Amino acid sequence: MSEAIYDEPSKEIPILVTADVVVCGGGPAGVAAAIASARGGARTVLLENQGCLGGIWTSGLLSWIIDAGNKKGIMQEIMSRLDRRKARIPSVWEDFTYDAEEMKLLLEEMCVEAGVTVMLHTRVVHAAVEGARRLSLAITESKSGRQAWAASIFIDATGDGDLAARAGCRFDLGRPLSEETQPMSLMALVAGLDPEKVAEYTMNGVSESPRERLLERMEKAGHRPSYASPSLFHIRDQLFALMANHEYGASALHASQVTKATMHARKELHRLIDGLRSLGDAWANIRIVNTASHIGVREGRRIHGRYTVNERDLLAGATHEDAICRVRYGIDIHSTNPEQGNGFGDDGKKSLPYDIPFRALIAADVDGLLMAGRCISGDFIAHSSYRVTGNAVAMGQAAGAAAAIAAITNVLPQHLNGADITKALQRLEETN
């Protein structure tokens, strides 16, 4: 049966603003890109679909930041400012937990201080390309209707590569051939726990094998989670974050599948917490305070760029002259097929620290477009490593600094002087 079609009448769309740089997506990569761009002297607009900045950090309640310790500049500034708010708990490793509500406020303050124009509740739905390949407009939908945003340079930090795809860029998705993607996970905040009594179950580093201990408790309560390595993170006081869910086979590109995954995940989380509470003792008062307003998506589009970060780079510990980020996190593939396990692994491959080159942030098919975060150009194996948010911030910082230079000097990103980008990044690193 063919789909019914509605032929929407054409209409004029107001171009709301002309900026130097428009950043689409206000997650860790997008916020860093917008701040870096504005600090570089560019008139910068940041468009975000959710009602807060931070993406997976805030609306996704991730609460755990990985591979941030060697990232200078904006990432270090965020860490320092969280510390001043007493809103961060370092682990015995370099990873750390943070208070998502404090993070929301901090990111807004940093954007306002930098002079970024922020628009929340605004989703990118289309793009306009001039001539053969120059991106000229990002088109959005919001309570204000359909609007267009003009800029000299655009940055796609949507995670799923929405702007790039709508501009006609090619992309890859999931594993080669099968296109199986890593599962989604819905985070939850839980309260009613005594930190000392559950310390051995948390990921903050005070005991060995906390995941295994937590799994044993859940199974004793009669429930085996869909994620075989459930993780509990201490945030502050009696507040914790829980990741215990895998949603397999759901595509981030289809709203119906994201909806089904979200509802299924929320039901599972409540069942798991009810089970833990039934154990009594340390778990007697555990309750869900909040589930994330957006399910955590590990994998969407990987947009084709002028370089593809690949498995060989990871295995060899590649270095690049145009490096903008050194990744130290290993290969981390959450099972793409529950019949082959429901944990995580590395497909039998071991990576070394490696560089992400600036070329991987430059769209191959459209001019005037950069990417930052998990939608940059990379293969399946590489993506499983660089996708974590400490790296996303570093990529955003580099994209924003480069975008400002490109816009102000009227030069396309691929023609920028590498030394100028390096100097701009050094200035950002010195701000902390």
Side-chain angles (χ1 to χ4, degrees):
M1 182 182 295
S2 61
E3 290 184 342
I5 298 295
Y6 169 65
D7 188 5
E8 183 178 14
S10 63
K11 59 182 177 180
E12 293 183 345
I13 301 173
I15 299 176
L16 194 65
V17 68
T18 298
D20 293 320
V21 176
V22 167
V23 182
C24 298
V31 167
I35 292 170
S37 173
R39 289 180 179 176
R43 295 168 298 162
T44 305
V45 172
L46 176 59
L47 307 175
E48 165 57 33
N49 177 51
Q50 299 294 319
C52 61
L53 298 177
I56 188 61
W57 279 354
T58 53
S59 58
L61 297 178
L62 178 63
S63 306
W64 182 248
I65 295 181
I66 297 173
D67 208 1
N70 69 327
K71 307 304 187 296
K72 298 179 180 179
I74 292 172
M75 187 70 251
Q76 287 297 316
E77 183 178 349
I78 290 171
M79 292 165 64
S80 295
R81 293 176 70 156
L82 285 172
D83 285 342
R84 292 199 291 272
R85 295 166 179 260
K86 302 186 185 308
R88 186 175 82 98
I89 301 179
S91 71
V92 296
W93 312 285
E94 290 183 348
D95 310 331
F96 62 89
T97 58
Y98 61 90
D99 184 320
E101 192 61 31
E102 290 284 354
M103 181 72 87
K104 292 177 187 178
L105 186 59
L106 172 58
L107 298 181
E108 289 175 2
E109 289 176 354
M110 291 178 69
C111 284
V112 170
E113 291 166 4
V116 177
T117 298
V118 176
M119 287 293 294
L120 302 176
H121 308 289
T122 303
R123 178 185 291 276
V124 174
V125 296
H126 194 52
V129 178
E130 286 185 350
R133 50 180 297 140
R134 182 64 185 262
L135 182 58
S136 60
L137 295 172
I139 298 167
T140 63
E141 288 278 4
S142 70
K143 282 289 188 178
S144 300
R146 203 168 179 91
Q147 297 171 317
W149 307 77
S152 298
I153 303 294
F154 294 84
I155 300 175
D156 188 333
T158 62
D160 296 324
D162 292 336
L163 176 66
R166 284 155 176 74
C169 292
R170 292 169 296 159
F171 60 88
D172 297 312
L173 183 68
R175 289 186 180 274
L177 303 180
S178 72
E179 293 192 349
E180 290 178 345
T181 59
Q182 294 188 64
M184 301 175 187
S185 290
L186 186 70
M187 296 291 298
L189 295 182
V190 300
L193 296 174
D194 183 327
E196 292 185 3
K197 291 182 179 179
V198 297
E200 63 183 317
Y201 302 100
T202 70
M203 292 292 291
N204 299 78
V206 297
S207 67
E208 295 183 0
S209 306
R211 293 185 176 103
E212 290 80 358
R213 294 171 187 267
L214 183 58
L215 177 62
E216 185 275 331
R217 292 287 86 189
M218 289 178 170
E219 290 180 332
K220 184 174 182 180
H223 301 290
R224 181 174 179 83
S226 56
Y227 175 40
S229 297
S231 305
L232 189 67
F233 309 94
H234 185 208
I235 306 300
R236 63 156 78 237
D237 306 320
Q238 293 187 339
L239 184 66
F240 293 76
L242 175 69
M243 182 173 73
N245 163 260
H246 268 178
E247 292 299 321
Y248 301 98
S251 171
L253 311 187
H254 297 282
S256 61
Q257 294 184 33
V258 177
T259 298
K260 182 179 179 181
T262 301
M263 295 174 67
H264 184 269
R266 186 171 289 115
K267 184 176 181 179
E268 179 185 15
L269 289 174
H270 278 273
R271 185 172 66 249
L272 290 171
I273 294 302
D274 289 346
L276 286 173
R277 189 168 56 253
S278 72
L279 296 176
D281 296 328
W283 308 98
N285 296 315
I286 189 172
R287 294 280 179 181
I288 290 181
V289 175
N290 190 21
T291 51
S293 58
H294 197 293
I295 195 169
V297 176
R298 291 185 176 86
E299 211 171 342
R301 303 179 186 91
R302 304 190 304 275
I303 305 301
H304 288 195
R306 290 177 173 258
Y307 182 88
T308 300
V309 186
N310 58 73
E311 178 182 329
R312 296 185 302 277
D313 289 336
L314 277 64
L315 302 183
T319 59
H320 296 277
E321 289 185 0
D322 60 340
I324 52 88
C325 175
R326 186 75 172 169
V327 178
R328 297 190 300 182
Y329 191 59
I331 297 168
D332 179 16
I333 304 170
H334 285 240
S335 175
T336 59
N337 186 340
E339 294 181 0
Q340 299 173 5
N342 58 351
F344 63 91
D346 55 19
D347 276 16
K349 302 176 175 67
K350 301 297 182 183
S351 65
L352 297 171
Y354 62 96
D355 288 347
I356 292 179
F358 179 60
R359 287 163 291 159
L361 277 59
I362 306 173
D365 300 323
V366 172
D367 287 334
L369 175 62
L370 293 167
M371 295 88 68
R374 59 182 172 82
C375 65
I376 70 162
S377 182
D379 68 12
F380 175 81
I381 295 292
H383 167 273
S384 75
S385 166
Y386 63 66
R387 65 180 171 81
V388 297
T389 60
N391 298 314
V393 171
M395 287 185 261
Q397 177 174 275
I405 298 170
I408 292 170
T409 60
N410 196 28
V411 174
L412 289 173
Q414 60 265 34
H415 300 315
L416 286 176
N417 184 321
D420 291 339
I421 298 176
T422 299
K423 290 178 182 177
L425 291 175
Q426 288 174 344
R427 287 194 295 271
L428 287 167
E429 292 169 1
E430 291 167 358
T431 60
N432 189 46

